[in-house]
Amino acid sequence: MEDISGVGLRVTVVASNTFPSGITITQFADDADPFDIPSMQIADKAMGLNGDLITWSKASPLTPTLNVIPGSDDDKNLQVLAEANRVAKGKRSALDIITMTVIYPDDSGATYTNGKLTDSMPGKGVSSAGRFKTNAYIFAFENRTTF
């Protein structure tokens, strides 16, 4: 029998300048996938003039998403990371290079390297259900190793 429970997931985010010692994320949202890894295209394809299939490999970033409880300590830390790396007129970025280590309940895991935080919520949104919206933080990484 396989136990596929995700309870106990933890993610450590190390940001080279903002959080060099790392922060551990455990306060995941209940209304969005806590840790989501979307499908990625690893090859492309076309058909030649006479119907011959042509394929080629394609490099694509790994783009995991963390969805955390709004207002939680984890959300506040990720907001600090987002603000530190946001650029604006007269504002410099922290230029963090991010490493993310994911530990699953079965003690397997993955380390994502050479990454950036690419998307975050710039404030508190409110959903039609009358609660704060879950804050999603999307990252992009060059590589991943599993253990």
Side-chain angles (χ1 to χ4, degrees):
M1 177 176 78
E2 293 295 322
D3 185 345
I4 60 170
S5 174
V7 175
L9 175 73
R10 63 188 187 278
V11 177
T12 301
V13 175
V14 175
S16 59
N17 296 313
T18 306
F19 292 112
S21 297
I23 54 173
T24 300
I25 308 299
T26 60
Q27 296 172 310
F28 296 106
D30 68 333
D31 61 345
D33 292 337
F35 180 68
D36 189 30
I37 306 168
S39 174
M40 62 183 274
Q41 184 177 9
I42 60 172
D44 215 339
K45 74 276 182 204
M47 297 294 284
L49 176 66
N50 293 322
D52 300 299
L53 177 64
I54 304 164
T55 64
W56 58 95
S57 296
K58 179 179 176 178
S60 297
L62 302 160
T63 57
T65 300
L66 295 175
N67 288 295
V68 297
I69 298 169
S72 66
D73 288 342
D74 290 347
D75 185 36
K76 290 173 186 172
N77 283 331
L78 290 169
Q79 282 289 324
V80 167
L81 180 61
E83 183 59 28
N85 286 276
R86 185 181 69 84
V87 295
K89 184 173 182 173
K91 181 182 182 305
R92 295 181 61 177
S93 169
L95 301 174
D96 281 311
I97 297 171
I98 297 174
T99 301
M100 177 186 291
T101 302
V102 180
I103 308 290
Y104 297 99
D106 64 358
D107 288 328
S108 67
T111 300
Y112 295 80
T113 55
N114 206 21
K116 285 293 210 185
L117 175 62
T118 62
D119 295 71
S120 71
M121 306 284 285
K124 292 182 183 180
V126 178
S127 73
S128 61
R131 61 189 264 180
F132 287 128
K133 290 180 86 170
T134 292
N135 290 332
Y137 298 90
I138 304 173
F139 298 81
F141 293 95
E142 273 187 3
N143 212 347
R144 175 184 77 121
T145 56
T146 58
F147 54 90

